[in-house]
Amino acid sequence: MTPADATLQVRTFRRSPLSRARGHVGALWRRPLTQAIAKAVLTIYVTSTITFFLIRLMPGSPVELKIDELMQNGQMSYADAAAAASGLFDIDLNAPVGQQYLEYLANLARADLGNSFLSQGTSVTSIVLAVLPWTLFAVGTGLLLSFVSGIGLGLVAAYRRNSPLDHVVSTAGSVISSVPAYLIALLILLIFGIQLRWLPITQMRGAFSPGMTPGFSPAFIGDLFFHAALPISVFFLTHIGLWILSMRSATLAALEEDHVTVARARGLSDGRITTAYVGRNAVLPLVSQFAIAAGAVVGGAVIIEQIFVYQGVGLRLVKAVDQRDYPVMQGIILMTTVAVIVANLVADLLYSRLDPRIGRAGGASGT
């Protein structure tokens, strides 16, 4: 052992526990996954803070709206309406905004979203969980169907490049992907529901029919699809164009790779090349896009659910905004933010797992 090695061992042995702890923290912080989680937490905090203050800048408070309602419907004086309204709400809006903000952060740190202003004793979490499954069902079904169909059509269009089928599929995908979701929903409602009367719009409102017992029975599942058919159709149409064009472009790029040329030279069948060499590599970018789209569409379902009167998170948010139910608004917006952030994180992790090159290059799961 050289004198330099002996000196290094002595210095290492003499390191204080604080220095070793700092070293461990520094090594942990250098991990991309740790940085991604820290950024996600910071984003959630900033979004929650902005939401808290923006909501309180809205004109009118829940108490003022209830006072106006009592004065109009009950022919009451302002004093009587104010006295009646103050007893209906579990709320203290006269407290300083700073105090309300600190209480909000303290509750948020305990994963407590609070109670609804308008429904005393009803937690925001229970309100959100009561409508969240229906939004996830409609969004998930529409996205999954569009993803599978778009991958298949994009793959076929790429293999039949410059054919009439390729032109039809590519043009249709470009047109559909350029139309906003709310416009497709309105067109379906006006043309097929009102003009042609092919769709029983009134009967399709809500998440399921009154009197139906929730469960895994065929009758209830069929009723769910009946009521969610229009939102599912909109989510399907607004995303299938993206998957078609993305898969076609990725497949054309994969067909030019050297390993595909080598596979053909080895005499492998077209089916084997398509599944093992072309399709697998071409679908990788779309997997991450799918996770991101799933998180974003949950937040974008507000307008679609309002148009079709579908009892999901979006329609509940609109009702909370109309009633100035601050905790419910904050809870739904926070849930949407978390969904988008988690979807991005999952997409990064999933992509790095499917493609080891990303992990070695410093993806979220890289070390």
Side-chain angles (χ1 to χ4, degrees):
M1 178 182 297
T2 63
D5 293 336
T7 303
L8 180 60
Q9 287 188 358
V10 171
R11 290 179 178 177
T12 303
F13 179 77
R14 290 179 177 177
R15 288 180 62 188
S16 64
L18 181 59
S19 299
R20 289 196 294 269
R22 289 177 178 175
H24 291 311
V25 172
L28 183 63
W29 175 251
R30 285 190 293 270
R31 294 174 62 92
L33 179 58
T34 305
Q35 296 179 12
I37 294 176
K39 292 177 182 177
V41 173
L42 179 61
T43 304
I44 293 174
Y45 166 72
V46 172
T47 304
S48 302
T49 300
I50 294 176
T51 302
F52 177 87
F53 289 104
L54 285 181
I55 286 177
R56 280 156 179 77
L57 293 176
M58 296 175 61
S61 68
V63 176
E64 294 173 352
L65 293 179
K66 191 64 179 179
I67 291 175
D68 293 338
E69 179 183 348
L70 293 175
M71 292 177 62
Q72 294 177 4
N73 298 334
Q75 302 296 327
M76 302 174 62
S77 63
Y78 181 84
D80 294 337
S86 61
L88 296 176
F89 296 95
D90 184 15
I91 177 178
D92 184 16
L93 291 178
N94 294 324
V97 177
Q99 178 181 343
Q100 297 181 41
Y101 176 65
L102 293 178
E103 293 177 355
Y104 169 69
L105 290 182
N107 294 332
L108 195 61
R110 299 192 301 267
D112 181 12
L113 300 179
N115 295 330
S116 171
F117 283 167
L118 305 178
S119 302
Q120 295 185 5
T122 304
S123 65
V124 174
T125 303
S126 63
I127 294 176
V128 174
L129 292 180
V131 294
L132 181 60
W134 315 128
T135 297
L136 295 180
F137 173 73
V139 170
T141 304
L143 278 181
L144 186 60
L145 291 176
S146 67
F147 185 74
V148 174
S149 302
I151 286 179
L153 292 174
L155 190 64
V156 172
Y159 267 91
R160 299 187 180 182
R161 180 171 40 182
N162 296 326
S163 66
L165 177 62
D166 178 29
H167 294 312
V168 171
V169 172
S170 301
T171 303
S174 300
V175 173
I176 294 176
S177 62
S178 62
V179 181
Y182 72 89
L183 184 57
I184 295 179
L186 290 175
L187 290 176
I188 292 176
L189 191 66
L190 294 176
I191 297 176
F192 298 102
I194 298 178
Q195 296 295 330
L196 300 179
R197 298 183 182 276
W198 290 356
L199 299 175
I201 299 297
T202 303
Q203 300 176 15
M204 298 178 74
R205 294 178 177 176
F208 54 90
S209 301
M212 290 292 297
T213 302
F216 293 98
S217 62
F220 180 73
I221 294 176
D223 188 69
L224 286 182
F225 277 102
F226 173 75
H227 286 271
L230 296 181
I232 289 175
S233 300
V234 173
F235 296 137
F236 174 84
L237 292 174
T238 53
H239 288 85
I240 188 172
L242 171 64
W243 307 133
I244 290 175
L245 298 178
S246 299
M247 187 62 184
R248 180 183 180 275
S249 177
T251 303
L252 291 176
L255 288 172
E256 303 298 329
E257 295 289 341
D258 294 337
H259 65 274
V260 176
T261 304
V262 173
R264 287 172 176 169
R266 291 171 54 192
L268 296 180
S269 63
D270 290 340
R272 174 66 175 171
I273 294 175
T274 301
T275 56
Y277 292 87
V278 177
R280 183 177 181 275
N281 293 326
V283 80
L284 284 178
L286 274 71
V287 172
S288 60
Q289 292 181 30
F290 179 82
I292 295 173
V297 173
V298 172
V302 176
I303 300 178
I304 306 303
E305 293 180 356
Q306 187 177 11
I307 292 175
F308 295 126
V309 196
Y310 185 72
Q311 301 293 336
V313 172
L315 191 63
R316 188 62 185 86
L317 177 60
V318 173
K319 182 179 179 182
V321 172
D322 292 338
Q323 298 174 337
R324 301 298 190 273
D325 198 343
Y326 296 165
V328 176
M329 295 166 60
Q330 293 169 173
I332 294 179
I333 295 175
L334 178 63
M335 181 273 300
T336 304
T337 303
V338 171
V340 175
I341 293 174
V342 171
N344 280 270
L345 185 60
V346 170
D348 194 7
L349 292 172
L350 187 60
Y351 195 20
S352 61
R353 291 296 182 184
L354 294 175
D355 190 351
R357 297 171 299 178
I358 303 299
R360 290 193 296 267
S365 64
T367 56

